[in-house]
């Protein structure tokens, strides 16, 4: 029985060593600032939008990759908060069409959730919990897509909200792209 236990421990220690040794370290970048932004945005669905949004913050000029991840999440979170405020102000208008009111109600709930999820993403990123960032960002993206569906499937459409929602999705996807690159 002791021999079986020792063989098991030996096998387990070899397995752990292989898993740890086989885990690739996160990529390192020699670039900072705009050069790094351009490199990180290469695989974005909208490269120009990605570069423009990340370089809109002055702190991006000297930022390294993890700092750009924080910037990307911060921009997405600000966008979600602003969009949530926009929706709330629209809902305060009188005589809204019922279909538009339903769409705004749904999107309002989605954006309230998204703001919380992006705050959780930022906290997770600061703790180097990249998998949690991935989960929270994907959930925020799902909320944005649910709003997009409501906007496209119902008679009540708001062009400004549709534009804001499209930008929100791009910002979240760019933050997710950067997080994926940072994930070891």
């Amino acid at each position: 029985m002791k021999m079986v236990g020792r063989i098991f421990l030996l096998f387990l220690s070899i397995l752990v060593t292989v898993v740890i040794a086989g885990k690739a370290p996160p990529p390192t970048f020699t670039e900072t600032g705009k050069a790094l932004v351009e490199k990180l945005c290469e695989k974005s669905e909208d490269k120009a939008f990605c570069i423009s949004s990340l370089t809109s913050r002055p702190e991006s000029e000297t930022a390294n990759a993890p700092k750009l991840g924080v910037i990307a999440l911060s921009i997405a979170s600000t966008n979600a908060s602003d969009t949530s405020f926009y929706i709330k102000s629209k809902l305060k208008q009188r005589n809204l069409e019922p279909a538009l009111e339903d769409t705004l109600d749904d999107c309002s709930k989605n954006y309230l959730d998204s703001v919380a999820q992006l705050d959780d993403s930022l906290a997770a990123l600061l703790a180097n919990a990249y998998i949690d960032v991935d989960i929270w960002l994907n959930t925020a993206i799902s909320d944005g897509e649910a709003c997009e569906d409501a906007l496209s499937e119902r008679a009540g459409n708001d062009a400004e909200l549709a534009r804001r929602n499209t930008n929100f999705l791009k910002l979240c996807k760019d933050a997710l792209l950067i997080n994926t690159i940072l994930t070891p």
Side-chain angles (χ1 to χ4, degrees):
M1 212 51 178
K2 288 184 179 184
M3 185 63 140
V4 171
R6 288 182 183 164
I7 292 173
F8 175 74
L9 286 176
L10 177 63
F11 174 75
L12 185 61
S13 63
I14 291 171
L15 180 64
V16 168
T17 303
V18 168
V19 168
I20 291 172
K23 188 174 182 182
T28 56
F29 298 95
T30 55
E31 306 89 351
T32 59
K34 186 164 184 178
L36 180 56
V37 167
E38 290 175 355
K39 187 170 190 168
L40 292 175
C41 290
E42 282 176 0
K43 294 183 180 177
S44 174
E45 290 177 10
D46 187 341
K47 183 178 177 181
F49 181 85
C50 180
I51 292 170
S52 173
S53 64
L54 289 175
T55 58
S56 69
R57 298 280 176 97
E59 62 266 30
S60 71
E61 293 176 15
T62 58
N64 59 16
K67 179 66 176 172
L68 284 173
V70 170
I71 292 169
L73 282 172
S74 174
I75 292 169
S77 181
T78 299
N79 176 280
S81 295
D82 291 347
T83 301
S84 181
F85 180 77
Y86 170 81
I87 295 168
K88 286 178 187 176
S89 68
K90 290 289 283 189
L91 282 167
K92 289 180 182 177
Q93 293 177 3
R94 294 182 183 180
N95 301 325
L96 284 175
E97 296 175 25
L100 177 58
E101 189 172 1
D102 288 345
T103 299
L104 292 172
D105 277 335
D106 287 348
C107 287
S108 178
K109 291 172 190 166
N110 293 131
Y111 271 90
L112 288 174
D113 289 345
S114 291
V115 169
Q117 292 151 357
L118 290 169
D119 289 346
D120 291 339
S121 293
L122 187 55
L125 182 61
L126 294 173
N128 297 323
Y130 301 109
I131 293 171
D132 292 342
V133 175
D134 188 78
I135 292 167
W136 291 119
L137 272 171
N138 276 304
T139 305
I141 289 168
S142 293
D143 284 332
E145 289 170 343
C147 180
E148 182 178 57
D149 291 345
L151 285 164
S152 65
E153 293 173 359
R154 295 188 185 146
N157 197 335
D158 182 277
E160 176 62 16
L161 179 54
R163 183 192 66 77
R164 288 171 175 262
N165 194 66
T166 297
N167 288 343
F168 171 73
L169 288 169
K170 287 180 185 179
L171 292 169
C172 286
K173 289 176 182 178
D174 289 341
L176 184 61
L177 174 68
I178 292 169
N179 185 65
T180 301
I181 292 169
L182 293 175
T183 303

